[in-house]
Amino acid sequence: MNSNQFSIHQVKRLLKKELDVRQLKTDIFKINPSLSDYSGSALWNLFEVIQQEKLIHIIFGKHNQRGYGTFVSTDKRLIFIDAGADEIIFKEVIALGNIISIDFSSLNNIMTVVIPQKVIEIELDYPQYGLPFCEAVNQLINNSLKIDTTEVSAIFDLVERLGKLRQTNILTEKEFSKEKAKLFSKI
């Protein structure tokens, strides 16, 4: 490959991507050292899948319906994947908002994820990472469910101001209702 084939911008982007993949590898090993045998191509593939998301936790185990794979938690979803050398095969993707519960039983080394459609059980190869995985996901779910009371108060203040604009005929009833609905959808 000739270096003249790439622009400076392309080279900078490739170098940034390389640094980001190295950081992902460091993060994975800090979270779960048992995944130290992840190949370079598997890391690149995983990076491509979650590059716009924050890695929360990662474990390896056997899905009760889909076989062995890696279970990844990001700040947006849980992803159960088979991270082969050439590509990542998605076995299960669950939005965090769909999780009813996630727990780990140290008695049988099973992590259980309950979603509206089904119950998923994953038998962990390294059970010491089961509880930290579940705690990290539960904390993330609980934090996303908390309503900021300051924000709610500010929304009510805005609705009150909109009401005054409606009373003085600056806003029509339809405009008021539309804006009020937008504000309440943020709560």
Side-chain angles (χ1 to χ4, degrees), residues 23-75:
Q23 183 60 51
L24 175 65
K25 183 176 185 176
T26 301
D27 293 345
I28 287 172
F29 299 154
K30 280 182 190 173
I31 293 168
N32 186 337
S34 72
L35 295 172
S36 62
D37 61 348
Y38 240 51
S39 72
S41 59
L43 282 169
W44 274 94
N45 289 336
L46 181 59
F47 174 76
E48 289 295 328
V49 170
I50 68 166
Q51 65 180 314
Q52 300 300 319
E53 301 171 43
K54 181 181 178 207
L55 176 69
I56 302 300
H57 214 294
I58 184 168
I59 55 176
F60 186 78
K62 184 179 179 189
H63 190 291
N64 64 331
Q65 298 167 340
R66 306 198 187 275
Y68 281 96
T70 305
F71 208 44
V72 180
S73 171
T74 72
D75 59 338

Side-chain angles (χ1 to χ4, degrees), residues 90-142:
F90 290 86
K91 294 183 171 188
E92 189 96 42
V93 179
I94 306 160
L96 288 182
N98 289 340
I99 298 172
I100 295 170
S101 69
I102 181 168
D103 296 299
F104 175 70
S105 169
S106 57
L107 297 174
N108 55 7
N109 298 331
I110 300 286
M111 184 171 62
T112 305
V113 181
V114 179
I115 58 176
Q117 304 84 356
K118 62 183 167 182
V119 174
I120 300 165
E121 292 182 338
I122 298 173
E123 183 179 349
L124 302 181
D125 283 8
Y126 296 92
Q128 66 268 31
Y129 300 110
L131 187 59
F133 185 98
C134 291
E135 287 174 346
V137 172
N138 280 319
Q139 182 179 10
L140 190 63
I141 292 169
N142 291 336

